[in-house]
Amino acid sequence: MQAYDAAGNTSVASSPLTVTTNASGGGGGGIGLDDFDGNPAYPSAAKNDLAKWTGGNCFTNGGGSGVVSGGALTLQYNNCGWFGSDVNTDVSAYTYLVVRIKGNAGGEQSHFNLSLGGTTKVFGDYTLDGGGHPAITTAYQDIKIPLVANGISRTSPGQLAMGFWYGGNSSISIDHFSFTN
């Protein structure tokens, strides 16, 4: 390999360059389901970052769909609300579902369920590494839900869905959903 500069100078030839790619997702960087950055626009595009369907209803903000602002989706609920985002992608190369989330008051983990890959649990009932459970606070945090340990199918995850019919009245803000190692 040789380099050429604007003055017409040529470098001494180097040894051949070898490039290797890894089709299994690289060094654990992961894939994003949605980062709510406005591309595609939620809810008008009805698409997530995987170019699959997404939407919500019955929330008390955003005409029922929730509101994206500052790169986060805020879902305001009063014992009613449903959010869904199609995954329908094999995520076997990944270990975790990561939800970057905060609550308006903290403690919202008992206000909604999360369904993915054949598993439905109240969000606070998911088991984390080390045996703990998710606890939503008023500051953003990455909640890493181990897929296999929670019985979530990685080959057929289907749709990520959240239901807010557990008597709660608050709001949560989700910065992103992703799958990582």
Side-chain angles (χ1 to χ4, degrees):
M1 182 168 155
Q2 292 181 299
Y4 302 92
D5 67 17
N9 299 311
T10 304
S11 71
V12 175
S14 67
S15 54
L17 179 64
T18 303
V19 177
T20 304
T21 60
N22 182 343
S24 68
I31 59 171
L33 177 59
D34 211 330
D35 61 9
F36 305 105
D37 66 354
N39 185 18
Y42 178 89
S44 60
K47 299 283 183 189
N48 59 30
D49 288 348
L50 297 176
K52 299 183 187 314
W53 181 88
T54 192
N57 62 38
C58 199
F59 295 104
T60 60
N61 62 339
S65 298
V67 172
V68 171
S69 177
L73 172 63
T74 299
L75 302 172
Q76 187 176 355
Y77 55 91
N78 186 2
N79 196 33
C80 188
W82 181 86
F83 171 82
S85 195
D86 286 345
V87 179
N88 293 325
T89 298
D90 186 329
V91 294
S92 296
Y94 305 105
T95 305
Y96 300 100
L97 166 67
V98 178
V99 183
R100 183 159 181 78
I101 189 171
K102 72 176 182 174
N104 184 55
E108 289 89 351
Q109 66 274 0
S110 63
H111 294 180
F112 63 96
N113 69 19
L114 185 137
S115 298
L116 180 66
T119 299
T120 300
K121 296 182 186 183
V122 169
F123 191 71
D125 289 344
Y126 277 91
T127 302
L128 305 177
D129 285 343
H133 299 279
I136 296 177
T137 65
T138 58
Y140 276 113
Q141 60 181 320
D142 289 340
I143 295 181
K144 293 173 63 174
I145 298 172
L147 300 168
V148 172
N150 284 284
I152 298 169
S153 171
R154 297 184 301 164
T155 57
S156 298
Q159 182 181 84
L160 181 147
M162 301 165 74
F164 293 79
W165 297 287
Y166 292 84
N169 179 2
S170 189
S171 67
I172 59 168
S173 295
I174 302 165
D175 181 78
H176 69 260
F177 293 107
S178 61
F179 296 93
T180 66
N181 288 321

